[in-house]
Amino acid sequence: MPKVFFQDLGLIDYKVCWDYQEKLFNEIIAQKLEQRNRPDNYQLSTNHYLLFCEHPHVYTLGRNGDEKNLLIHDEELKKAQAVFYKNNRGGDITYHGPGQIVGYPILNLDLFFTDIHKYLRYLEEAVIRTLLEYGINAGRIPKLTGVWVDAESNAPRKICSFGVRCSRWVTMHGFAFNVNTDLSYFSNIVPCGIADKEVTSMQKELGKEIDIEEVKSILKKNIAELFGMELIAESAHV
């Protein structure tokens, strides 16, 4: 069972966290490259990480996203106390902010399974199972990555978005799960480039503020079970 270091970074600046992810990501790739010519019986395991955090208000655009999906510009961003970054993940535009669990798995999939679609489905499933424990019915919509409340209805609402990067079967970036998120910030973008679907949160669906630490604990358990990993709590060194 692969051991994965779990770090809760708390509320952290998006760029600081992105740089930290890149550092861990590059270290794992370097470990893989250093071992690539070794016989199988001399291969060593690489590190793996699962980072949880919250970010101050920020909009991020994936490498193939359309900047037109950001509906406000510099002055309005300042008024909203938000910043904007283009990054190297998949997906279009999304919002991160307080009250949202942002998860960044940095895994060497060679030691799990080399299937990026399966990887995304497992992360979605972990969120779906977590929501079910709160009595929220969520699922998937064909051809639309993410987790949706009332996915099969005429009014599905997105509660978790995904955007990942994978190189040499090492992952980074991840998901944004709306728990107690201020949903008004989504009105400044076309979330994930999808104009005709609403966004929601656990707080909105249940009509009360949710204990985010409890949600984190359940989500961690579900991720660990689905991926067959052992999570080891570790202090962050950002």
Side-chain angles (χ1 to χ4, degrees):
M1 179 179 290
K3 293 179 170 58
V4 177
F5 294 112
F6 173 77
Q7 300 177 8
D8 190 334
L9 306 180
L11 184 67
I12 182 171
D13 176 81
Y14 181 82
K15 185 62 167 62
V16 171
C17 188
W18 182 9
D19 290 344
Y20 183 54
Q21 282 189 80
E22 290 273 11
K23 173 179 175 288
L24 300 178
F25 175 83
N26 289 328
E27 285 175 358
I28 295 172
I29 287 182
Q31 289 172 343
K32 293 185 72 171
L33 290 175
E34 193 270 331
Q35 298 186 61
R36 63 184 170 180
N37 294 321
R38 291 183 181 179
D40 288 348
N41 56 328
Y42 284 93
Q43 293 284 328
L44 302 175
S45 179
T46 61
N47 290 338
H48 308 276
Y49 298 90
L50 175 62
L51 312 179
F52 277 6
C53 67
E54 297 176 58
H55 292 306
H57 304 298
V58 59
Y59 297 103
T60 70
L61 183 71
R63 60 184 177 271
N64 297 317
D66 187 344
E67 197 165 339
K68 291 178 182 176
N69 289 326
L70 176 66
L71 305 178
I72 59 174
H73 300 289
D74 292 349
E75 284 304 314
E76 293 156 302
L77 279 168
K78 286 179 184 176
K79 286 180 183 177
Q81 297 182 308
V83 292
F84 171 67
Y85 288 106
K86 297 178 184 178
N87 64 19
N88 57 4
R89 62 166 171 80
D92 203 284
I93 197 164
T94 196
Y95 160 77
H96 300 310
Q100 184 185 68
I101 299 174
V102 182
Y104 296 127
I106 307 174
L107 309 177
N108 176 7
L109 291 183
D110 275 330
L111 301 178
F112 291 91
F113 46 77
T114 52
D115 184 334
I116 197 65
H117 295 289
K118 182 176 179 180
Y119 171 71
L120 285 166
R121 301 297 85 77
Y122 273 26
L123 290 177
E124 289 170 345
E125 184 64 25
V127 174
I128 289 167
R129 292 184 183 186
T130 301
L131 290 166
L132 189 60
E133 295 201 29
Y134 288 86
I136 297 174
N137 178 37
R140 302 176 182 85
I141 295 176
K143 299 182 181 179
L144 294 178
T145 299
V147 175
W148 304 77
V149 176
D150 294 338
E152 297 179 359
S153 73
N154 292 325
R157 303 171 298 286
K158 195 169 198 177
I159 198 166
C160 187
S161 60
F162 293 79
V164 304
R165 178 186 175 196
C166 184
S167 177
R168 297 182 185 271
W169 292 114
V170 179
T171 66
M172 65 175 287
H173 298 296
F175 61 86
F177 181 16
N178 298 329
V179 180
N180 299 314
T181 315
D182 182 348
L183 299 177
S184 68
Y185 276 82
F186 285 98
S187 65
N188 297 324
I189 60 173
V190 180
C192 302
I194 302 169
D196 61 344
K197 301 285 192 298
E198 290 187 18
V199 177
T200 192
S201 67
M202 292 183 69
Q203 182 179 31
K204 182 176 180 180
E205 294 298 320
L206 297 176
K208 62 181 181 180
E209 187 170 344
I210 309 301
D211 183 344
I212 197 167
E213 295 303 319
E214 180 183 77
V215 179
K216 286 179 184 177
S217 179
I218 295 169
L219 181 58
K220 279 168 52 184
K221 170 182 69 73
N222 287 327
I223 291 172
E225 287 177 357
L226 282 159
F227 281 86
M229 64 175 62
E230 178 185 354
L231 289 176
I232 301 168
E234 181 184 61
S235 297
H237 305 288
V238 183

